[in-house]
Amino acid sequence: MTIMLLGLIGMAAIYMAISYTSPSSTAIRAVIMQLVWYVIGGIGVVFVMRFDAEQLWRIAPYLFALGIFLLIAVLIFYNRAVAAKTGAKSWFAFGPITFQPSEVMKPAFILMLSRVVTLHNTAMPHTTKNDWLLIGKMLAWTLPVVALLLLQHDLGTTLVFLAIFAGIVLVSGVTWKIIAPIGGGAILIGGGALFMATQTWGRVLLRHVGFQAYQFARIDSWLNPSGATSGDSYQIWQAMKAIGSGQLTGSGLGNLKVTVPVQESDMIFSVIGETMGFIGAAALILLYFLLIYQMVRVTFDTKNEFYAYISTGVIMMIMFHVLENIGMNIGLLPLTGIPLPFVSQGGSFLLANMLSVGMVLSMRYHHQSYMFSRDDEFGSPQPKKV
């Protein structure tokens, strides 16, 4: 029900955003395509729900391998038109349909990290040495994904995978004696990089490690959105103006007055803020809180370690998307290509989110206790029903 409500809000917002700058027939086609993707996603959810923990455990390596293959393939066969426009080599194109392979990788990555952590914790007790070993194993599966995404110039999606990694580390049982210094170091590195991005000498150094001009422009527009409202800051400035103009109750459905680039996707929260006001935007945020609460409840009900890590990964993925998307729309965070889950236009993104939620829902439909034993033909632990 929660996802259905988010979908209805999303399709209404997509129609308003596209019809504001294009004929209504174009907007209707976009809404129909979004509805088609919802139907495909719903079928995918039903399919994934049929997989229990043992089956998810077994297919995790194969899905991860498929994801890696697609991330490599897109570096060769990427959509040249999208790359010329955005600088990102992260999209396939099949006629009028575009597809982002990193969306396939998200649920596969969550499954693989959950398997790695469960396997490690089953075989080894928690000691400082073993916890460092666990982090090393997780990094071994994470760094190739991050490297391929950075080669695609897709920093926003890279941050999503790092958020999933961080969330699973937090619940994996790793001691705070390790987590605290790593977290502090990450904050220092991030803060230092941000400071360097504001300095001429710092930008020279950051360019040598792969930072692009558009990334510096996004930082500038974030720190000073009113500084170049007709240039790099135009998008974020227009989004803030649109949300502010909505005030408490909004301007009314279909009554958009502020032009915001990419309003049907990355900036769709500005549509909701303008037409539905603070009340509508707050209701949307409450729906996300409700969705996350429901997933947490399912996790606690199952009491299954492997499922717990899967659920954590899915929750972190959705939470990061929501926080980053809304944050950049209201000027609290820098612009990235992060859409709003179940609301923004986008087929592969919607399908990945639906399949991920399907993995969480499979917990409810396979609500049994599991034990881990070494009796499969490969000699590795896997979940077994009792």
Side-chain angles (χ1 to χ4, degrees), residues 1-14 34 37-38 103 106 110 156 160 163-164 263-270 272 281 283-292 295 313-329 336-357:
M1 179 61 74
T2 306
I3 293 177
M4 186 182 298
L5 290 173
L6 289 170
L8 291 174
I9 293 173
M11 285 185 279
I14 290 169
Q34 188 78 351
W37 278 109
Y38 255 105
E103 299 300 338
K106 287 175 183 176
I110 291 170
V160 175
I164 294 170
Q263 202 166 13
E264 71 280 0
S265 180
D266 297 348
M267 313 308 289
I268 200 163
F269 186 76
S270 67
I272 296 167
L284 178 69
I285 294 172
L286 286 175
L287 281 176
Y288 282 117
F289 274 114
L290 178 60
L291 176 62
I292 291 168
M295 289 192 290
V314 174
I315 289 170
M316 286 299 297
M317 178 184 73
I318 293 175
M319 282 183 60
F320 184 84
H321 272 281
V322 172
L323 291 173
E324 172 59 30
N325 182 275
I326 294 177
M328 72 184 188
N329 270 267
T336 57
I338 299 290
L340 196 58
F342 309 109
V343 176
S344 291
Q345 183 186 36
S348 56
F349 174 65
L350 175 59
L351 183 59
N353 285 321
M354 294 289 281
L355 293 178
S356 298
V357 170

Side-chain angles (χ1 to χ4, degrees), residues 181-349:
I182 291 178
I187 293 172
L188 287 175
I189 292 172
L194 180 60
F195 173 75
M196 291 173 65
T198 63
Q199 307 296 316
T200 303
W201 61 268
R203 294 195 172 193
V204 173
L205 292 176
L206 290 174
R207 285 193 183 97
H208 286 300
V209 296
F211 274 70
Q212 305 293 318
Y214 78 91
Q215 292 170 332
F216 294 126
R218 287 180 175 181
I219 292 174
D220 290 338
S221 64
W222 169 48
L223 295 176
N224 186 20
S226 62
T229 56
S230 61
D232 294 328
S233 299
Y234 178 75
Q235 188 175 22
I236 189 170
W237 182 256
Q238 291 296 103
M240 293 169 62
K241 188 195 304 186
I243 294 170
S245 68
Q247 299 185 36
L248 182 63
T249 59
S251 59
L253 297 180
N255 193 24
L256 288 176
K257 298 179 180 179
V258 182
T259 301
V260 183
V262 202
Q263 202 166 13
E264 71 280 0
S265 180
D266 297 348
M267 313 308 289
I268 200 163
F269 186 76
S270 67
V271 178
I272 296 167
E274 181 178 358
T275 60
M276 305 179 193
F278 175 81
I279 293 176
L284 178 69
I285 294 172
L286 286 175
L287 281 176
Y288 282 117
F289 274 114
L290 178 60
L291 176 62
I292 291 168
Y293 170 75
Q294 290 170 334
M295 289 192 290
V296 171
R297 281 293 303 272
V298 171
T299 307
F300 278 109
D301 289 342
T302 57
K303 298 181 176 68
N304 181 304
E305 182 179 3
F306 180 51
Y307 269 147
Y309 300 138
I310 294 174
S311 180
T312 299
V314 174
I315 289 170
M316 286 299 297
M317 178 184 73
I318 293 175
M319 282 183 60
F320 184 84
H321 272 281
V322 172
L323 291 173
E324 172 59 30
N325 182 275
I326 294 177
M328 72 184 188
N329 270 267
I330 61 178
L332 288 180
L333 295 171
L335 281 173
T336 57
I338 299 290
L340 196 58
F342 309 109
V343 176
S344 291
Q345 183 186 36
S348 56
F349 174 65

